Amino acid sequence: MRLADISPTLQTLLDSELHPIAPGMWGGNTPNFNLLVRLSKNQTELQILLPLIPVSDASADPEVLAAYAGLFQEVDYTVLENIVWAVFPYPLDFTDTAALTNTVPYLFERHGHFLLDYHQSVANQQMQRLIQTSKQSGRSLDATLQFLEYTYRENLLGELLEDDEPGREAVLVQWRAKIRQYWESGDG
């Protein structure tokens, strides 16, 4: 693959622009995540970097990276700005436009599903901890739901909640339903 073909090919796949960040490095967006594209130092390899999880999460749960590696045959990892990024190498001598066109959409889809599953797992763990703590302290289901709404209003739930109000409300409705389900099933 020629260096001149990289940016136009990836822009077509992303359906958006890649922005130069530094020589041999570009940033871009998909509807679900940002990405970086860079050339190796010796310019023999194209590397697509997809953000995974904060370093602190990877340290607390190293199995996350093993699970991710199980989805892909070749993946390396790097840390940039306290985020673990998956690095997918494409040797330029063996990669052409057709190869990228065939593999990158699949890569993005699998990556998106992994992130969705991971964030749902984190949310479920937080809900189960909330229920367990509430039950241990003798709180009722209604008091637990009120506490959930308080933490929501005070934005203590972190990045799991959407930025826009309709999205935030939808997440809160889902959390209430899940907490009720966990509470009644004894999963908390």
Side-chain angles (χ1 to χ4, degrees):
M1 175 171 231
R2 295 178 314 132
L3 295 179
D5 295 334
I6 294 170
S7 186
T9 300
L10 290 171
Q11 284 181 171
T12 301
L13 292 171
L14 290 172
D15 199 24
S16 72
E17 269 192 53
L18 284 175
H19 307 285
I21 296 173
M25 182 179 247
W26 303 267
N29 301 312
T30 73
N32 299 319
F33 50 86
N34 298 328
L35 71 135
L36 295 173
V37 178
R38 69 182 181 192
L39 293 173
S40 61
K41 288 181 183 173
N42 61 8
Q43 295 196 350
T44 60
E45 188 175 77
L46 175 70
Q47 299 172 341
I48 297 177
L49 287 76
L50 302 176
L52 275 175
I53 56 176
V55 171
S56 58
D57 290 0
S59 298
D61 188 5
E63 287 121 27
V64 171
L65 299 181
Y68 190 83
L71 294 175
F72 301 99
Q73 290 181 348
E74 264 190 60
V75 63
D76 293 318
Y77 301 102
T78 192
V79 174
L80 299 170
E81 297 182 8
N82 290 319
I83 300 290
V84 176
W85 293 71
V87 180
F88 295 91
Y90 293 89
L92 291 176
D93 289 346
F94 303 105
T95 302
D96 59 14
T97 302
L100 282 182
T101 302
N102 290 332
T103 61
V104 169
Y106 174 76
L107 170 68
F108 289 173
E109 180 182 344
R110 297 282 305 259
H111 180 74
H113 286 299
F114 178 85
L115 290 180
L116 184 65
D117 291 347
Y118 172 75
H119 288 294
Q120 187 61 46
S121 171
V122 169
N124 287 339
Q125 289 171 7
Q126 285 187 332
M127 283 184 265
Q128 289 172 344
R129 277 195 299 269
L130 174 63
I131 292 167
Q132 185 178 35
T133 302
S134 291
K135 286 183 175 182
Q136 287 174 350
S137 62
R139 262 193 220 126
S140 67
L141 173 59
D142 288 336
T144 301
L145 293 173
Q146 287 174 355
F147 180 73
L148 171 69
E149 290 182 31
Y150 165 77
T151 57
Y152 165 78
R153 279 193 313 276
E154 298 298 320
N155 201 25
L156 300 175
L157 294 175
E159 298 175 8
L160 295 174
L161 296 178
E162 301 290 327
D163 288 337
D164 63 288
E165 191 57 38
R168 290 170 64 99
E169 187 59 33
V171 169
L172 186 58
V173 166
Q174 290 175 348
W175 276 49
R176 281 187 206 121
K178 274 284 201 201
I179 286 176
R180 280 190 177 95
Q181 176 188 353
Y182 288 156
W183 191 282
E184 293 166 3
S185 70
D187 285 342

